[in-house]
């Protein structure tokens, strides 16, 4: 499973990329607003750091507006993935962009049948938001499992990009189901390495090593 960082924070992206943990980046208008930076500038900088797909989201709601914005975003770098909302106009834009060789991430997916439509429109990625379903007392991981089954039934090659991932448990659950990608806040990616028994083991080994009086 690939790891994408769900952030527009260049410092975090650089750190994760240097650790070799990053396969791509996703942003959205809220994350761009949080960065306090110019949208196209920050996308250009992220694309210069990360080799993999970098999602940049359109903000128009109509097909023509989405296509116009997509043209501008695609000019930034070849790894820009245009992110469109799961609406009829978004699906139409997805189909046109995908036919023109552009990577497309269809976002704000909350049902398996929406994911089927995105695959039929040629989406490179579908982004089901699992945390936001958990927020309303539904199990977001059920949605990932349903989409996995539908995509496998029909051999769609659209990648399932589990989004709104909030915890290490989410990451494990979507990996077990077979999501292709998990996009996570940087803190969640860094937390994956943690286990109290690993820390305890290191502490014990170092204490025993010290008792040998040796140096390495
Ligand atoms: O990028 C979309 C998604 O990952 C947002 O997550 O935590 O705002 O629901 P969240």
């Amino acid at each position: 499973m690939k790891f994408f960082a769900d952030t527009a924070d260049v410092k975090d992206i650089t750190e994760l990329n240097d650790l070799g943990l990053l396969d791509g980046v996703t942003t959205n208008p809220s994350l761009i607003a949080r960065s306090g930076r110019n949208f196209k500038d920050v996308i250009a900088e992220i694309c210069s750091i990360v080799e993999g797909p970098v999602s940049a989201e359109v903000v128009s709601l109509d097909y023509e507006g989405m296509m116009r914005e997509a043209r501008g975003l695609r000019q930034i770098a070849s790894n820009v993935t245009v992110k469109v909302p799961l609406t009829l106009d978004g699906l139409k834009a997805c189909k046109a962009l995908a036919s023109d060789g552009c990577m497309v991430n269809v976002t704000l997916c909350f049902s398996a049948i929406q994911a089927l439509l995105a695959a039929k429109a040629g989406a490179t990625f579908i982004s089901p938001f699992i945390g936001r379903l958990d927020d309303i007392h539904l199990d977001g991981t059920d949605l990932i499992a349903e989409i996995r089954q539908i995509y496998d039934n029909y051999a769609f090659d659209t990648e399932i990009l589990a989004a709104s991932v909030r915890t290490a448990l989410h990451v494990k659950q979507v990996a077990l189901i077979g999501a292709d990608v998990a996009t996570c806040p940087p803190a969640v990616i860094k937390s994956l390495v943690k286990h109290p028994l690993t820390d305890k083991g290191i502490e014990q080994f170092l204490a025993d090593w010290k008792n040998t009086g040796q140096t390495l």
Side-chain angles (χ1 to χ4, degrees):
M1 186 172 71
K2 288 176 260 192
F3 286 151
F4 287 6
D6 196 28
T7 184
D9 185 314
V10 169
K11 196 166 153 277
D12 284 336
I13 290 168
T14 303
E15 184 188 358
L16 288 169
N17 196 54
D18 289 349
L19 286 168
L21 290 175
L22 218 51
D23 299 300
V25 171
T26 51
T27 66
N28 61 40
S30 306
L31 294 170
I32 296 295
R34 203 175 302 160
S35 78
R37 296 187 53 191
N38 173 274
F39 181 25
K40 289 186 178 175
D41 288 351
V42 77
I43 294 296
E45 190 173 349
I46 295 169
C47 288
S48 73
I49 299 166
V50 179
E51 276 182 26
V54 174
S55 289
E57 189 161 342
V58 298
V59 289
S60 282
L61 295 179
D62 63 300
Y63 169 77
E64 282 78 16
M66 287 183 200
M67 293 303 286
R68 180 177 42 76
E69 290 171 3
R71 272 193 295 279
L73 293 171
R74 292 176 73 183
Q75 278 168 8
I76 297 174
S78 59
N79 54 335
V80 164
T81 300
V82 175
K83 204 173 180 187
V84 299
L86 219 160
T87 60
L88 289 175
D89 282 56
L91 292 172
K92 185 177 174 187
C94 175
K95 180 102 183 163
L97 291 165
S99 306
D100 195 35
C102 177
M103 289 188 288
V104 185
N105 178 354
V106 179
T107 191
L108 290 164
C109 172
F110 293 95
S111 83
I113 211 71
Q114 286 181 315
L116 174 59
L117 292 176
K120 286 175 72 66
T124 317
F125 301 104
I126 181 67
S127 288
F129 279 32
I130 63 174
R132 292 192 194 184
L133 285 168
D134 290 358
D135 290 343
I136 58 164
H137 311 293
L138 295 169
D139 187 341
T141 59
D142 286 349
L143 174 58
I144 304 293
E146 288 177 357
I147 300 171
R148 182 74 281 154
Q149 183 171 340
I150 290 171
Y151 282 10
D152 289 350
N153 285 349
Y154 298 99
F156 283 119
D157 54 14
T158 298
E159 295 191 32
I160 302 174
L161 192 164
S164 189
V165 167
R166 310 261 177 83
T167 63
L169 179 60
H170 274 157
V171 177
K172 182 177 90 169
Q173 288 170 324
V174 302
L176 284 169
I177 293 164
D180 301 286
V181 189
T183 190
C184 316
V188 171
I189 297 179
K190 282 192 269 178
S191 79
L192 300 178
V193 76
K194 298 301 280 179
H195 195 289
L197 291 181
T198 303
D199 295 339
K200 195 176 166 199
I202 290 172
E203 202 179 308
Q204 181 68 57
F205 285 155
L206 289 184
D208 291 342
W209 175 250
K210 197 170 173 198
N211 288 336
T212 70
Q214 299 180 50
T215 54
L216 193 63

